[in-house]
Amino acid sequence: MSFFGVSGMYYSGESLSQHRIVLAEDSNLFSAMVSKRLKELLDIDVIVCRDYDELQFAVENAAFPAALAISNINLPGAENGEALNYLVEMSVPTIVFTGTFQEQTRESILAREIVDYVIKDSVFAVDMLVESVCRFLTNHRHHVMIVDDSVTARALLTTQLKRYNFRVSAADSGATALDLLKRHDDIGLVITDYNMPDIDGFELTRRIRGAYGPHQLRIIGVSSSTNRLLSARFLKAGGNDFVVRPFVNEEFYCRVNQNLDTLTKIRTLGSKVALSA
């Protein structure tokens, strides 16, 4: 099967029909639209739950765990967000699909360690939701390496990327990163800090680019420095992107996705060229 997302995602591979998804949505219109689109584009059948009791029953009485839940913030019987708390407590990865959204709502959603959220505010909302589902179910194909000498920074990024279902390796130095790259040829994205004691982010980027082309992996530089020239130096060293700390979660995930989408397209094009040669 193949799938083109709204933001540029392209997926081609095995069917996703084996995944069990719970949809907690009391609107007949949206539940029908989402169910139909997931079936059309990803061949996934969803279990629709129209209130809190149905959601609890679907989660707790399943033959096998749900791979993902899509949930409105408020459901009949859970008008204050209890459904999201329940799904998190039951360790069910969750995407929020909501029509009410304010800054306070966003902070509340992210505090619950939700995978993603999609707002019902455009004609593309359902397709954006389907893309978010496809990304989560297929992100395990991507191996991401974090390079940072800070234990806290590595742990935060590792937790965040694993929440999105990526496979993650972490290195506490440039030397360790280079060693991991030699041992794991499937790493497709390197996220490296600038300020490290042994090999800084610029030098690490240069060394990686000396051995791996942009068709093999992407590099994102990160820093908490206010020096605006750092981004230019990373790009000139062979990096593909640069993000300033502290991250905005949505922007960070978008940058990761964009770089991996580009890598996927390059590899797909390369395979087609090789076949036609």
Side-chain angles (χ1 to χ4, degrees):
M1 62 165 290
S2 60
F3 169 73
F4 288 94
V6 177
S7 70
M9 176 190 185
Y10 173 69
Y11 171 72
S12 178
E14 71 277 4
S15 169
L16 302 178
S17 60
Q18 74 275 20
H19 295 288
R20 179 173 179 271
I21 293 183
V22 174
L23 172 61
E25 173 62 68
D26 59 316
S27 164
N28 291 331
L29 174 63
F30 280 113
S31 61
M33 291 171 63
V34 171
S35 299
K36 180 181 178 183
R37 210 71 177 122
L38 283 170
K39 183 62 176 178
E40 287 177 344
L41 297 178
L42 305 181
D43 195 27
I44 294 175
D45 293 306
V46 301
I47 299 171
V48 178
C49 306
R50 304 191 186 282
D51 59 36
Y52 190 38
D53 288 339
E54 289 186 8
L55 175 62
Q56 290 177 303
F57 183 85
V59 171
E60 296 174 24
N61 294 276
F64 55 94
L68 183 67
I70 301 168
S71 179
N72 202 339
I73 294 177
N74 303 313
L75 285 174
E79 288 79 7
N80 298 306
E82 294 92 343
L84 299 187
N85 292 335
Y86 168 75
L87 289 167
V88 171
E89 289 171 2
M90 297 299 290
S91 300
V92 181
T94 303
I95 297 173
V96 174
F97 192 45
T98 178
T100 58
F101 191 80
Q102 300 173 344
E103 186 173 340
Q104 184 177 358
T105 307
R106 171 188 174 275
E107 292 176 355
S108 175
I109 289 173
L110 295 181
R112 290 181 170 96
E113 298 186 353
I114 298 300
V115 172
D116 198 3
Y117 65 85
V118 177
I119 308 170
K120 305 172 184 175
D121 64 348
S122 75
V123 294
F124 301 110
V126 173
D127 282 349
M128 290 178 68
L129 176 63
V130 173
E131 180 176 328
S132 184
V133 169
C134 187
R135 285 194 186 281
F136 180 81
L137 295 179
T138 60
N139 276 344
H140 66 277
R141 298 179 307 155
H142 300 296
H143 189 172
V144 182
M145 180 170 68
I146 301 163
V147 190
D148 201 310
D149 62 315
S150 165
V151 175
T152 301
R154 288 199 310 277
L156 286 173
L157 279 181
T158 297
T159 299
Q160 188 168 358
L161 290 168
K162 285 186 175 181
R163 186 190 311 164
Y164 300 139
N165 205 25
F166 290 110
R167 289 180 292 120
V168 184
S169 293
D172 59 3
S173 68
T176 302
L178 293 171
D179 181 61
L180 281 173
L181 282 172
K182 291 178 181 178
R183 292 190 284 116
H184 299 280
D185 60 4
D186 63 338
I187 292 175
L189 175 65
V190 175
I191 302 173
T192 177
D193 186 35
Y194 152 64
N195 188 17
M196 293 185 293
D198 63 335
I199 304 172
D200 68 25
F202 302 139
E203 179 59 26
L204 176 61
T205 299
R206 281 190 287 267
R207 293 191 189 186
I208 291 174
R209 275 291 168 255
Y212 306 91
H215 63 291
Q216 294 172 291
L217 61 79
R218 310 288 287 179
I219 304 172
I220 300 178
V222 298
S223 177
S224 56
S225 172
T226 57
N227 184 348
R228 297 181 63 184
L229 291 179
L230 288 182
S231 60
R233 291 185 63 190
F234 257 111
L235 296 175
K236 291 296 184 182
N240 303 105
D241 206 344
F242 182 81
V243 187
V244 178
R245 286 191 173 109
F247 302 131
V248 175
N249 286 35
E250 298 91 327
E251 179 188 8
F252 175 71
Y253 188 34
C254 182
R255 297 288 190 88
V256 168
N257 287 336
Q258 287 176 343
N259 278 279
L260 289 172
D261 287 347
T262 299
L263 182 63
T264 298
K265 290 171 185 174
I266 291 172
R267 288 174 172 174
T268 301
L269 179 61
S271 298
K272 290 180 179 179
V273 170
L275 288 172
S276 62

